Amino acid sequence: MPLYRDYSDEKATILIWKYDEQDELSAEDLLEPENLEKVALYHPKKLLEVLMVRKLLQSCKPGAKILYKEREPYLEPKTAEISITHSFPFAAVAISENKIGIDLEKFNPKILRVVDKFIYEDERGFIPENQTETFYTIIWSVKESMYKIHHSKYWSLKKNYEVKPFELQYLDEIRCRVYDDQMSDEFKARVKFFDDYCFTIVEA
């Protein structure tokens, strides 16, 4: 199982795998019994994504399980924090001592149709008119990564999540935050590009 990308650092193990038809992925060998019912009606490609994540997990945490609490994944035994993301043919896993969120998005002009659902007015001002698809995809991905750290506590990517102005040549320290009237939780995001995909890492 050759890795496609390794973005691990001193805080976390962050691995990406690209599917190959020669890869052998057995649900019987890889999937937790607790999740059999959950994936019973999955599309074959979505099932492959799930199995790819488990294969990656085995490579760095042999014997660990990915279980879910209200759709939020966690490791069993609870020896570390985990975040997962997949968009066929890619799947990724991040394991850290601290909370971490990762997200993988394919660049697609369709994102322009839903901008009003996750962008508030101040976030539009720094976006070049000839690069809207790229910038909006990055912002969406950063907010999705932050959401995986806070999960269901804050549900509005438009009202409770903010991405500060950034430039494409400086994607390793994008400032961002989750906030409400009582608090502001500040983060820095790392963004990587490959194969027409945007991959985002937010570490607490």
Side-chain angles (χ1 to χ4, degrees):
M1 186 197 76
L3 287 175
Y4 185 76
R5 291 285 191 278
D6 184 343
Y7 293 122
S8 302
D9 57 22
E10 67 277 4
K11 297 179 182 178
T13 300
I14 305 166
L15 307 174
I16 301 176
W17 182 15
K18 185 177 183 179
Y19 178 72
D20 186 289
E21 290 184 358
Q22 296 180 351
D23 292 327
E24 294 184 5
L25 297 169
S26 166
E28 184 177 341
D29 294 335
L30 295 171
L31 195 63
E32 306 85 356
E34 295 90 335
N35 291 322
L36 286 173
E37 184 176 349
K38 176 183 175 69
V39 305
L41 300 178
Y42 276 13
H43 185 279
K45 283 187 177 179
K46 187 172 182 179
L47 179 59
L48 283 175
E49 293 170 347
V50 169
L51 297 178
M52 289 162 66
V53 165
R54 270 63 181 178
K55 191 75 170 181
L56 283 170
L57 179 65
Q58 278 192 0
S59 72
C60 52
K61 284 277 187 182
K65 295 181 178 181
I66 298 175
L67 302 180
Y68 296 86
K69 182 179 180 180
E70 297 177 356
R71 297 191 300 172
E72 182 178 7
Y74 67 90
L75 276 181
E76 182 63 44
K78 296 179 181 179
T79 56
E81 301 289 340
I82 188 170
S83 183
I84 62 178
T85 185
H86 38 72
S87 178
F88 195 82
F90 292 102
V93 62
I95 298 171
S96 175
E97 293 182 2
N98 303 315
K99 282 283 190 179
I100 189 168
I102 60 173
D103 185 66
L104 183 63
E105 301 289 340
K106 185 176 177 63
F107 289 107
N108 189 320
K110 289 182 179 179
I111 196 167
L112 302 178
R113 303 176 188 172
V114 296
V115 164
D116 289 340
K117 294 184 178 181
F118 69 93
I119 293 286
Y120 72 102
E121 208 55 43
D122 287 355
E123 288 174 318
R124 299 176 188 264
F126 66 91
I127 298 175
E129 291 185 5
N130 62 339
Q131 294 179 308
T132 52
E133 178 187 330
T134 299
F135 273 77
Y136 286 138
T137 301
I138 292 170
I139 292 172
W140 170 266
S141 190
V142 170
K143 291 188 177 187
E144 282 286 313
S145 295
M146 286 193 289
Y147 178 82
K148 290 177 180 179
I149 291 178
H150 279 269
H151 200 57
S152 301
K153 187 174 181 181
Y154 297 105
W155 62 270
S156 174
L157 295 186
K158 183 172 183 176
K159 295 179 181 179
N160 299 114
Y161 294 75
E162 179 185 13
V163 178
K164 302 289 188 179
F166 62 88
E167 298 178 16
L168 295 183
Q169 60 266 44
Y170 302 110
L171 294 178
D172 282 337
E173 290 193 343
I174 296 177
R175 293 180 301 124
C176 50
R177 67 174 180 147
V178 182
Y179 68 99
D180 61 15
D181 293 338
Q182 307 298 321
M183 58 79 69
S184 179
D185 203 352
E186 310 280 337
F187 299 98
K188 285 185 179 179
R190 285 190 283 154
V191 176
K192 309 293 183 182
F193 296 161
F194 56 82
D195 281 30
D196 206 26
Y197 278 79
C198 170
F199 181 65
T200 303
I201 306 160
V202 174
E203 296 173 89

